[in-house]
Amino acid sequence: MNRREDLRNVAIIAHVDHGKTTLVDAMLHQAGVFRANQQVEERVLDKLDLEREKGITILSKNTAVHWQNKIINIVDTPGHADFGGQVQRVLKMVDGCLLLVDAAEGPLPQTRYVLSNALENGLSPIVVINKIDRPDARIEAVVDEVLELFLDLDASEEQCHFALIYTNARAGTATLDMNTPGRDLRPLFALLFEKIPAPEFDPEHGLQMQIATLDYSDYVGRIGIGRITHGTINVGDQVLHVKSETERYPVKITQLYGFEGLNRMPIQEAHPGDIVALAGIENLFIGDTVTDLADPRPLPPLKIDEPTLEMVFSVNTSPFAGREGKYVTSRQIRDRLFKELRGNPALRVEDADTTDSFRVFGRGELQLAILIEMMRREGFELCVGKPRVLLKQEDGKTLEPYETLLVDCPEIYVGVITGTLGMRRGQMIRMHNHQTGWVRMTFDIPMRGLIGIRPILMTATRGTVIMHNQSAGYRRLEGEISHRPTGVLVADREGRVTGYALNNLQDRGEMLVGPGTQVYEGMVVGENARDVDIVVNIVREKKLTNMRASGSDDNYQIAPPRVLSLEEAIAFINEDELVEVTPQSLRLRKIFLSAEERKRMEKKPQ
């Protein structure tokens, strides 16, 4: 086997907010990707508005850094377990990984999830202890925790002897010795070429490349991104596109792109180990192999985690349908969902029982909420139902997905968190007190118990709780789990909310709408303090008479409404409710808008 000593392919792994994108920013700057006077915004790899708003990586991206006439291809990996389908694909393109760990927080669940996939693929790790300038940094303890994590994940002996480097990504410095302050990132670049294996290839082997990511261009059509395992590829080459044993198509490469910094540049040829993008293959999908036409050797298909949650997406049927959205028909929604499948094999979409609804399967609430938010910003109107977990049948037993939940909270809230999660059938398996006023707890809990839990714990701990979860496989189905212990207030007619009506109703519970809001019959306008639904007239106006009495025209003291985000709205609703999503509004509603129809449906057998 030959080796490409001038090239390294590396993935960067980190938990949310541990400084991964900031470190890549510093690497790009110090490698000379940007001009000295070029204005560059922070977190350049977070290209989506949602990524910048939420501070997370949603779509995997890759960039190339040139250092001392050598090339480093850096692949950014999503940190959240809900986007694990992308992680499993892009790790096939690299030979090593940078594991970025916060010097104070240590390795967290999303670190664990991505790292477990990297170790299974045999990648060589470099551990980067970041944020060493934090006043609460506990570097030695964190290094011990990282080693425990490697042992817990059954890492090989070679992987457990990982290289270690300390960085301050915001300042753009790295050092191999804590006693010697870093000046720049040169120690990190040198360590990459020393510890990450060079790509190996057989010079006698024909072309072999597997598609890991998809993109689309209005000019050249579908673009496939992947790593060339063996062989070379040139613009104009006739190659074989292999989808399966029976689906093989000869095609021509019309365009070939390499990566330089953040840009995709046209190139004429590419060699083994290069990560490239190619165009000219119309029916290209993730996992497909592009191989030599005369000597085809397809690669095995990519393994992707199965979905664990299901949501129903349907056409908006409320009285306000079509007022705010650009795309409102079932055909448009269906086309958009199936378009999403082209670049996201971790999702599944099926037609539901009715012609205007679709079942969408995903890894978690966040993944599906991101899809809904993206559709909303594109101008779509739709309704979505409550998430449901997917059950399995094995040996006559019903199994449900479980999650490992890690919770960080102040000591005073330990009781309320354990009590709340206990009601959701969560079992504490570990608790550690850092003697800093904060406690870290680990729970095993059914995924059903996690649906809607975040806003509840946020309220109970006054916004201080930090939660992360990852898959723990399937186990025996437990009993019923109650989610929302309260009922709702439901509008009985269409109209505009009045202050007079709110003043009389706010003692019943917490309002979700304010004065002047347009409502319709069947719309959820508040949360009832009791566990029953109440139909209310929230558009009632004060009767005007000729008589005036002292105090009759006092100002109303109305509490501000509770404004739900998309994730909170999805978590809030019950089985008989929907979230109406439009580009401008989020509304909660009953599936059946008429009170008479709801009563009639309650009498029918389940």
Side-chain angles (χ1 to χ4, degrees), residues 257-519:
Y257 303 94
F259 293 91
E260 185 173 332
L262 300 174
N263 301 317
R264 205 157 51 199
M265 310 294 291
I267 57 176
Q268 290 301 310
E269 63 176 355
H271 305 280
D274 287 338
I275 295 177
V276 297
L278 53 83
I281 306 177
E282 182 179 348
N283 199 26
L284 195 65
F285 277 90
I286 288 171
D288 293 357
T289 300
V290 176
T291 185
D292 192 272
L293 189 61
D295 181 22
R297 302 188 194 182
L299 290 162
L302 296 175
K303 178 185 175 185
I304 304 296
D305 279 348
E306 287 295 311
T308 54
L309 274 184
E310 168 198 355
M311 285 180 69
V312 174
F313 289 39
S314 58
V315 170
N316 185 12
T317 56
S318 84
F320 296 167
R323 294 187 180 183
E324 300 172 0
K326 182 179 179 182
Y327 308 108
V328 298
T329 67
S330 61
R331 179 186 61 79
Q332 290 168 329
I333 295 173
R334 186 181 191 278
D335 289 347
R336 176 62 180 83
L337 291 175
F338 279 92
K339 177 184 175 183
E340 184 72 19
L341 294 183
R342 298 173 186 171
N344 193 349
L347 282 177
R348 284 211 324 260
V349 178
E350 296 178 359
D351 292 323
D353 300 333
T354 59
T355 56
D356 61 354
S357 59
F358 312 93
R359 299 170 67 196
V360 182
F361 304 88
R363 175 63 188 84
E365 278 182 278
L366 178 62
Q367 183 190 25
L368 296 175
I370 292 293
L371 171 60
I372 297 166
E373 182 65 32
M374 290 172 65
M375 293 178 64
R376 177 190 186 191
R377 296 184 182 201
E378 292 167 12
F380 283 85
E381 270 193 26
L382 66 155
C383 286
V384 296
K386 185 175 182 64
R388 301 177 184 174
V389 300
L390 300 177
L391 306 179
K392 281 185 177 181
Q393 296 290 335
E394 284 187 10
D395 302 326
K397 299 176 182 178
T398 303
L399 307 180
E400 65 175 330
Y402 262 71
E403 297 282 307
T404 298
L405 175 68
L406 188 144
V407 179
D408 284 314
C409 71
E411 292 176 343
I412 57 174
Y413 297 121
V414 169
V416 68
I417 286 178
T418 54
T420 303
L421 293 177
M423 295 173 61
R424 300 290 189 100
R425 298 189 178 272
Q427 295 184 345
M428 185 190 295
I429 57 176
R430 191 179 302 113
M431 182 170 72
H432 181 67
N433 192 327
H434 296 301
Q435 305 301 322
T436 60
W438 283 69
V439 175
R440 177 171 293 174
M441 296 174 286
T442 306
F443 294 84
D444 271 347
I445 186 169
M447 179 173 273
R448 287 181 299 142
L450 286 182
I451 297 176
I453 196 65
R454 186 176 297 274
I456 294 174
L457 292 186
M458 280 290 185
T459 302
T461 62
R462 299 186 179 182
T464 57
V465 69
I466 302 172
M467 301 170 51
H468 308 287
N469 61 286
Q470 70 168 32
S471 175
Y474 277 77
R475 303 180 193 174
R476 183 191 293 270
L477 178 67
E478 295 289 345
E480 290 295 321
I481 296 176
S482 62
H483 283 85
R484 194 181 71 206
T486 58
V488 292
L489 305 177
V490 186
D492 67 348
R493 68 196 70 191
E494 185 174 333
R496 192 178 295 275
V497 175
T498 64
Y500 177 72
L502 283 176
N503 186 55
N504 294 322
L505 290 173
Q506 60 184 353
D507 290 341
R508 296 280 185 103
E510 189 174 19
M511 292 297 158
L512 302 178
V513 295
T517 304
Q518 285 280 1
V519 299

